[in-house]
């Protein structure tokens, strides 16, 4: 993959991080709201399960962004 490809991977990771982190923070203030247009309604455990899923996806996004950034640095 080229440096531009790794930059695209980094961008996708950052978008995942921002979207999931924002949804996790918003769920602290409004427990009854449907986060991300109801995409996490299927997660078992109610609000706690949804929060754990959002935080896990946030960490995955951080890992993807970090990996893409590190690989892009080694290409340059």
């Amino acid at each position: 993959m080229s440096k531009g490809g790794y930059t695209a991977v980094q961008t996708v990771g950052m978008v995942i991080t921002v979207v999931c982190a924002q949804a996790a923070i918003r769920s602290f203030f409004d427990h009854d709201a449907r986060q991300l247009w109801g995409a996490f309604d299927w997660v078992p455990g109610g609000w706690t399960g949804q929060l754990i899923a959002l935080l896990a996806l946030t960490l995955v996004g951080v890992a993807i962004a970090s990996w893409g950034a590190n690989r892009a640095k080694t290409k340059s």
Side-chain angles (χ1 to χ4, degrees):
M1 196 177 329
S2 68
K3 183 180 177 184
Y6 289 119
T7 302
V9 169
Q10 180 184 4
T11 303
V12 168
M14 289 188 300
V15 168
I16 291 170
T17 300
V18 168
V19 169
C20 291
Q22 179 188 12
I25 291 168
R26 287 181 59 144
S27 72
F28 279 115
F29 297 107
D30 191 4
H31 293 280
D32 298 327
R34 297 177 64 198
Q35 298 304 321
L36 297 176
W37 306 280
F40 286 90
D41 288 346
W42 62 272
V43 176
W47 177 77
T48 306
Q50 291 176 3
L51 181 63
I52 290 170
L54 286 169
L55 293 175
L57 280 175
T58 301
L59 292 176
V60 167
V62 168
I64 290 171
S66 148
W67 180 79
N70 289 336
R71 295 294 291 186
K73 282 181 191 175
T74 59
K75 288 288 184 180
S76 56

